[in-house]
Amino acid sequence: MAVVLDLLNKDQRPRHPEKAHRPDQPVQQRKPEWIRVKAPGSPKWAETNRIVRENKLVTVCEEAGCPNIGECWEKKHATFMIMGDTCTRACAFCNVKTGLPQALDPNEPESVAKAVEKLGLEHVVITSVDRDDLADGGAQHFADVIQAIRARSPKTTIEILTPDFLRKPGALEVVVAAKPDVFNHNLETVPSKYLKVRPGARYFHSIRLLQQVKELDPTIFTKSGIMVGLGEERNEVLQLMDDLRSADVDFMTIGQYLQPTKKHHPVIRFVTPDEFKAFETTAYAKGFLLVSSTPLTRSSHHAGEDFAKLKAARLAKLG
């Protein structure tokens, strides 16, 4: 029997128990030349690693196996993943551990705030696992983390990447009331792929969630991202862009899907840099304030620099 082990935590239990009995998927052994990343290990990377460990924090950089961890941690840019390391959903693309999560850590908001202060972050990204087991999906915990960071680092701008809070009435309002600077919720893929790629989610619920953020607080920047290379058609991506613009989303990210293990959804193809550039050009033409579309684009990659660009783009549009 094949199992997907939790190698990050040197745990012999399956990291993805729901995938353990699935047939192996084909793995693209050789990546194209444009998929190249810097290996972690510099002194600044080590300092970021130390601060994360000292505060007993979880980062999506590690849990999701982000290819940009070497570059980002060298700049002291870490994306904190709150509410534990175990997700209640089992998306076919994701490498975050799945299962029954532990209880929330009441000290986590303060621990995250301390780490943000020690790293001296001007902009921080906070994400989480899905917590369908909680009555509010973790909305109040998001708000508590935002408030704790504001108390210690009032000049730090805050970007959140949230779950969809599906079937959690009132949850979104709690998070928006905490006033993050950027509200990100990823669509991940086109609607025709949801059943296989993102089975626990609902495409139009996610679109509506992003629209509601703007209705509740128009000053908050909204953001969403997708992966390509999962078998989607170009026209489907263009329609998705229109759906995001109908929800008044400001910022769109597009990156190449990379298969974490042979039990995850296979890479159907590697999208070329020229195709990514064409997506960027089209997305700008549709009215997004900012677009990041490259093979190695990820939701929080260059988030601080992108926030400055977002503010400038909004001012230019208003002026």
Side-chain angles (χ1 to χ4, degrees):
M1 180 181 71
V3 295
V4 185
L5 298 178
D6 185 356
L7 299 179
L8 288 174
N9 297 308
K10 297 180 175 59
D11 194 335
Q12 293 307 303
R13 294 170 298 176
R15 182 174 177 81
H16 304 287
E18 81 295 337
K19 296 181 176 70
H21 300 286
R22 294 180 184 176
D24 291 354
Q25 297 296 321
V27 177
Q28 294 273 2
Q29 296 293 343
R30 184 173 179 82
K31 295 182 177 67
E33 60 181 14
W34 58 80
I35 304 289
R36 294 287 184 271
V37 295
K38 182 178 181 179
S42 70
K44 290 183 178 179
W45 176 91
E47 184 179 358
T48 301
N49 184 57
R50 176 183 59 78
I51 292 172
V52 168
R53 300 286 169 264
E54 284 178 354
N55 289 276
K56 299 179 180 178
L57 298 173
V58 178
T59 69
V60 75
C61 320
E62 297 170 287
E63 296 299 320
C66 181
N68 301 313
I69 187 171
E71 176 190 350
C72 291
W73 281 31
E74 185 173 345
K75 297 177 181 177
K76 294 187 177 181
H77 293 170
T79 298
F80 298 109
M81 191 168 77
I82 60 175
M83 295 190 274
D85 64 355
T86 305
C87 186
T88 55
R89 296 192 190 175
C91 296
F93 66 88
C94 186
N95 200 37
V96 173
K97 185 164 61 175
T98 57
L100 181 64
Q102 295 182 350
L104 294 180
D105 177 4
N107 298 317
E108 184 173 52
E110 186 61 21
S111 296
V112 172
K114 286 179 180 178
V116 170
E117 185 179 37
K118 288 178 182 178
L119 288 167
L121 300 181
E122 295 180 3
H123 185 85
V124 64
V125 183
I126 307 295
T127 189
S128 79
V129 290
D130 272 289
R131 291 297 303 259
D132 294 317
D133 59 311
L134 301 175
D136 69 349
Q140 186 58 56
H141 203 73
F142 260 106
D144 292 344
V145 170
I146 292 169
Q147 291 160 3
I149 294 171
R150 294 261 190 251
R152 280 188 171 269
S153 306
K155 293 184 179 180
T156 299
T157 50
I158 301 172
E159 179 172 331
I160 57 172
L161 171 55
T162 77
D164 58 17
F165 302 117
L166 189 62
R167 304 182 187 92
K168 310 291 183 185
L172 179 65
E173 288 80 356
V174 170
V175 179
V176 172
K179 295 189 74 67
D181 297 281
V182 181
F183 190 109
N184 186 4
H185 172 65
N186 286 334
L187 294 181
E188 306 294 4
T189 188
V190 299
S192 69
K193 300 299 174 187
Y194 262 53
L195 189 59
K196 286 189 175 180
V197 175
R198 200 181 175 217
R202 302 293 178 268
Y203 176 81
F204 285 106
H205 171 80
S206 288
I207 291 288
R208 178 61 183 145
L209 183 89
L210 290 159
Q211 185 179 40
Q212 284 181 294
V213 174
K214 281 293 189 185
E215 292 171 355
L216 291 166
D217 189 341
T219 66
I220 295 176
F221 288 104
T222 50
K223 177 178 176 181
S224 189
I226 63 167
M227 303 165 290
V228 290
L230 287 159
E232 69 290 329
E233 298 291 336
R234 176 177 169 78
N235 284 343
E236 292 182 293
V237 176
L238 301 188
Q239 180 61 60
L240 180 145
M241 291 179 184
D242 288 337
D243 293 341
L244 287 176
R245 288 302 301 134
S246 72
D248 200 22
V249 170
D250 300 302
F251 183 7
M252 181 179 186
T253 62
I254 308 174
Q256 171 70 51
Y257 168 64
L258 298 175
Q259 184 180 3
T261 76
K262 61 186 178 182
K263 295 296 183 181
H264 288 77
H265 195 291
V267 175
I268 304 303
R269 76 183 186 97
F270 287 104
V271 179
T272 67
D274 285 346
E275 290 175 279
F276 276 103
K277 184 63 179 177
F279 280 139
E280 177 188 300
T281 300
T282 302
Y284 272 122
K286 289 179 180 292
F288 290 96
L289 288 181
L290 192 63
V291 181
S292 179
S293 178
T294 71
L296 289 173
T297 288
R298 295 297 182 266
S299 292
S300 55
H301 195 208
H302 300 152
E305 297 94 321
D306 287 340
F307 180 67
K309 293 176 184 177
L310 265 178
K311 290 193 296 182
R314 175 181 280 178
L315 287 174
K317 185 176 180 180
L318 295 174

